[in-house]
């Protein structure tokens, strides 16, 4: 986007029931999305960008001319950029279960006129994908050039390939995993318990203006640690002590500690704790083999070319976890490419150092688009 | 120890002031310790075993015939064992700041007749060592054959070598670090905040019978994660779901989550939250170069042979952190040996798989003892 191009988040409400993996129904449901570029008449030049845990659909451009920052992947999306909006119609949609415009636990349940809170059904990554398929059909998209996203976005990309093989012409999962590891679940367990321990949480029945702030800030700090790496922490903080504190003060803090507290607290007004918990659960439950007899069987349904990236210092979804999936795909003869990107920024590398992987994305997209004549 | 040999924890109170690194005085102070074997007349056949964060001085034997478990390193300490009590006088002492018998924040301040709580001064690992020197002098020990310990015990071993080079004839640090990394500090920050967030903590002024149980259990769970490893979690839990829970229950738990909660809660009655916080601080502040111009200068004071162990899957104090120290020692011409032990049990490996490193300890001790004619 150019700085002068303003974008708007749009909302579509589907007056239908989504049958979730849990067997429960969700409906009507709203999807918030943004779109950049123009859909061609065949409806086949669309790229879907999938967001991570606490992400949103504001992937590019600015809502207001004075916005301090553009959308979260603005460096990738725009005319002449990696996801070239003069050529592709790029869409990013908020997942169900979130609090950034799509239906989630903070939404009003139209049947009761009250917020869902913990009466919201558990959603899996697969449910998010099915919900977004309604949006893409609504927009007249007939097939996707690719689905690209990191972390939970990578999970969605894989599910698109498996669930909608005719519709999905390629996928680009970054910093993903075939199934969440017990270490990642354990870290989410700590984050969860931090919220549960906060008396203001009230089993999810907090007032939006009185959220369980201390517990939620702590939960976010746990996440933050898992997104960083030894190397990035050494670079960014080392063992520097907060300049305002005495080293022998009981409450004195190292810089890394001060930073975690600061960022955790900043996050509180920006996200809904119940949404955070629902999406953490979706991450924990993620297993590409879910409801298939095996990971192999699940992946046999993926027909399109896939381009995978893992990052050396990512200890949340380690490269071995991506490689497990890539190896299976190669073994069963699927068209698969994989790059292990050397980066010190941990799980966040896909956001911090895009230049290290985007050249591969450009080549890959050229090939996909050329094969389809887009 | 044979099962029939009962041991007793002993206590010595020193009616003197310990000048701490912070400049504050602590005194009188009590040290709790246990001893196994017999001190020779020269007082030079002693081995000091140093314990970790939440450890205690009950390293071997049983207090009562019906004790379910012996001391924490009983498999290493006893007649004919690695630390052979028919030959060596083995001592383990509780560190100051702890709540396991030595003076700490839960102790009564003799000057006020009330518990210290947060009026207790911050202690550093170096202070723990100085305090224990009083005990060893009191016991008539003239020099130590070795100081051996893991984690915080490794830190103490190194400090013994640097602070008392004439007294310390060798050191055996296991799973240690030359300086705590920002990642380790960040994890402790989470644990700390979990306790601070608990309304029952009351800035340390909780009643012992009403500890901040939820926050403390969560803090312990954070520690637990850092002591385990990807590999050990995969082996022990994988992605198994708790048999009692439904996978789509909001509060349903994976096994790893259930385990962390269970262990955290079990820990609450066994340790004092304030002590936990003080010792976490001592760990965070640990830097072998403290008050020296550099790590190199600090290590130049170490004259004795040292035998170091790191463990491949330890991500809390990673092998690289031990290697940083070992490399410096080698560079400045100190007698140093190092073994990287292949183990899947993370930071806890030194407790879980001692057979992987003890053969090296036996050879090393033989050499040290032979050189000194013990």
């Amino acid at each position: 986007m150019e700085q002068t191009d303003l974008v708007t988040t749009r909302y579509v409400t589907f007056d239908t029931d989504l049958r979730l993996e849990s067997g429960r129904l969700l409906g009507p449901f709203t999807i918030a999305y943004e779109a950049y570029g123009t859909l061609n008449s065949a409806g086949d030049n669309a790229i879907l960008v999938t967001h991570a845990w606490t992400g949103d659909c504001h992937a590019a451009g600015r809502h207001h001319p004075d916005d301090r920052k553009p959308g979260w992947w603005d460096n990738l999306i725009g005319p002449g950029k990696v996801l070239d909006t003069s050529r592709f119609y790029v869409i990013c949609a908020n997942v169900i279960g979130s609090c950034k415009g799509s239906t989630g636990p903070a939404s009003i349940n139209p049947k009761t006129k009250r917020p869902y809170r913990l009466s919201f059904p558990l959603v899996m990554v697969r449910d998010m994908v099915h919900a977004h398929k309604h949006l893409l059909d609504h927009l007249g998209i007939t097939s996707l050039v690719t689905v690209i996203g990191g972390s939970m976005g990578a999970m969605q990309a894989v599910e698109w390939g498996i669930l909608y093989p005719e519709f999905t012409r390629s996928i680009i999962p970054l910093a993903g995993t075939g199934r969440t590891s017990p270490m990642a679940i354990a870290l989410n367990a700590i984050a969860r318990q931090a919220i549960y321990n906060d008396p203001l949480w009230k089993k999810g029945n907090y007032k939006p203006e009185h959220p369980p702030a201390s517990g939620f800030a702590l939960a976010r700090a746990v996440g933050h640690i898992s997104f960083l790496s030894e190397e990035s922490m050494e670079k960014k903080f080392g063992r520097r002590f907060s300049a305002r504190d005495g080293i022998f003060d009981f409450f004195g803090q190292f810089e890394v500690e001060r930073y975690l507290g600061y960022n955790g607290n900043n996050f509180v007004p920006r996200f809904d704790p119940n949404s955070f918990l629902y999406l953490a659960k979706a991450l924990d439950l993620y297993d590409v083999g879910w409801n298939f007899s095996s990971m192999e069987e699940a992946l046999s349904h993926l027909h399109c070319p896939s381009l995978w990236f893992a990052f050396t210092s990512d200890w949340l979804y380690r490269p071995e976890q991506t490689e497990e999936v890539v190896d299976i795909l190669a073994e069963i003869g699927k068209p698969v490419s994989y790059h292990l990107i050397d980066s010190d920024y941990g799980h966040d590398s896909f956001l911090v150092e895009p230049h290290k992987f985007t050249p591969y994305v450009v080549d890959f997209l050229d090939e996909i688009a050329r094969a389809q004549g887009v």
Side-chain angles (χ1 to χ4, degrees), chain A residues 231-280:
Chain A
E231 296 87 341
S232 62
M233 284 197 193
E234 280 291 353
K235 272 188 200 169
K236 195 161 181 168
F237 310 108
R239 289 180 47 82
R240 270 184 297 120
F241 211 74
S242 169
R244 290 177 305 190
D245 297 340
I247 200 160
F248 291 115
D249 295 350
F250 183 84
F251 292 103
Q253 294 189 317
F254 282 87
E255 269 299 314
V256 64
E257 181 161 15
R258 200 199 51 73
Y259 169 89
L260 288 172
Y262 176 80
N263 271 273
N265 287 317
N266 266 356
F267 184 66
V268 172
R270 288 171 33 217
F271 213 82
D272 171 56
N274 285 342
S275 263
F276 185 88
L277 292 166
Y278 271 88
L279 297 180

Side-chain angles (χ1 to χ4, degrees), chain A residues 171-174 305-309 335-339 360-361 364:
Chain A
I171 60 168
I172 310 179
L174 299 118
S306 57
L307 172 62
W308 302 73
F309 297 98
V336 55
S337 317
Y338 165 64
H339 300 278
Y360 302 108
V361 172
F364 180 78

